[in-house]
Amino acid sequence: MARIQRKAHDSSVVLYNHQKEAMCALNKANIGGEFSGIIVLPTGGGKTITASYWLTKNAINRHAKIIWVAHRKQLLEQAYSAFEKCATQDLLTDVAEYSMRIVSGEHDEPSQVSPKDDVLIVMINSLQDPTTVLGKWLWNYTGMVYFVIDECHHAAADTYQKAVSYTHLRAHETRHDLVCRLLLEKKK
């Protein structure tokens, strides 16, 4: 687990119009209680930084928890780096630091997950028994949780079904193989 400290400068992330539009749509969906949405952008369109930027400002900054699930080491590390990059004073106005952990065969083990973790970035294979990992992580937690499935077109695969059903996420059917997707759901 790493403690991520808020940097004493504003974010250097430059968002393009399509990323700003995606965040506006997430802001509208986030007004109510639970919601789900898919960020759909072409490969290299900035889904990870868009989601990390938005989640830092709207989830971490409001003391919500995030679980980010992916199927490749590169995607885990990319998400981790994006969250680190977004830990700036303009996005984290109410939080000075938070904890983040990558759970995979090459990083921390599922047994190391703690209720004190704010952000879990998890290899899907590490969630083969989601009740152990997620149950331990969410023990006595009553706040909001944001579930992110990176490249969510994989969510219908058998390897995802236990975690998806445990978190009550809906597996979104996707047919456009050339467009990558990132599923974001907010649950209480």
Side-chain angles (χ1 to χ4, degrees):
M1 175 188 67
R3 297 295 306 168
I4 307 301
Q5 303 288 322
R6 176 179 59 207
K7 297 174 196 85
H9 59 78
D10 286 352
S11 175
S12 62
V13 174
V14 177
L15 298 169
Y16 295 98
N17 286 337
H18 64 276
Q19 294 169 307
K20 291 176 185 175
E21 289 172 13
M23 285 195 283
C24 284
L26 289 170
N27 287 337
K28 288 178 186 174
N30 196 39
I31 290 171
E34 298 180 0
F35 79 91
S36 65
I38 298 178
I39 298 174
V40 181
L41 299 173
T43 301
K47 290 172 296 302
T48 302
I49 196 67
T50 301
S52 300
Y53 189 103
W54 188 87
L55 287 165
T56 299
K57 185 174 183 174
N58 294 283
I60 296 170
N61 194 49
R62 295 179 178 153
H63 306 282
K65 289 185 178 276
I66 299 167
I67 182 165
W68 185 292
V69 181
H71 69 287
R72 291 191 351 241
K73 173 186 165 192
Q74 174 191 0
L75 296 173
L76 301 176
E77 292 172 352
Q78 180 182 22
Y80 188 95
S81 293
F83 277 110
E84 276 188 318
K85 189 174 190 176
C86 292
T88 56
Q89 67 183 7
D90 57 328
L91 301 180
L92 292 175
T93 57
D94 296 330
V95 172
E97 69 175 18
Y98 65 92
S99 63
M100 183 165 55
R101 178 186 308 272
I102 298 179
V103 180
S104 76
E106 296 185 33
H107 300 89
D108 289 347
E109 297 178 11
S111 62
Q112 294 174 288
V113 169
S114 164
K116 294 180 181 179
D117 296 333
D118 298 307
V119 179
L120 287 182
I121 302 173
V122 183
M123 180 76 75
I124 188 60
N125 295 347
S126 297
L127 288 177
Q128 290 310 304
D129 183 9
T131 57
T132 302
V133 177
L134 297 179
K136 179 180 178 182
W137 180 57
L138 296 173
W139 182 254
N140 287 332
Y141 181 73
T142 58
M144 284 295 178
V145 179
Y146 289 79
F147 294 93
V148 178
I149 298 180
D150 201 338
E151 295 192 5
C152 70
H153 54 277
H154 293 285
D158 290 342
T159 53
Y160 278 79
Q161 286 306 297
K162 284 183 183 178
V164 168
S165 63
Y166 181 78
T167 60
H168 308 292
L169 292 175
R170 293 179 301 282
H172 293 266
E173 183 177 343
T174 61
R175 296 283 181 224
H176 305 287
D177 295 334
L178 297 177
V179 178
C180 297
R181 291 166 166 76
L182 188 141
L183 170 69
L184 187 147
E185 285 206 355
K186 174 181 162 185
K187 296 285 184 181
K188 183 120 174 134

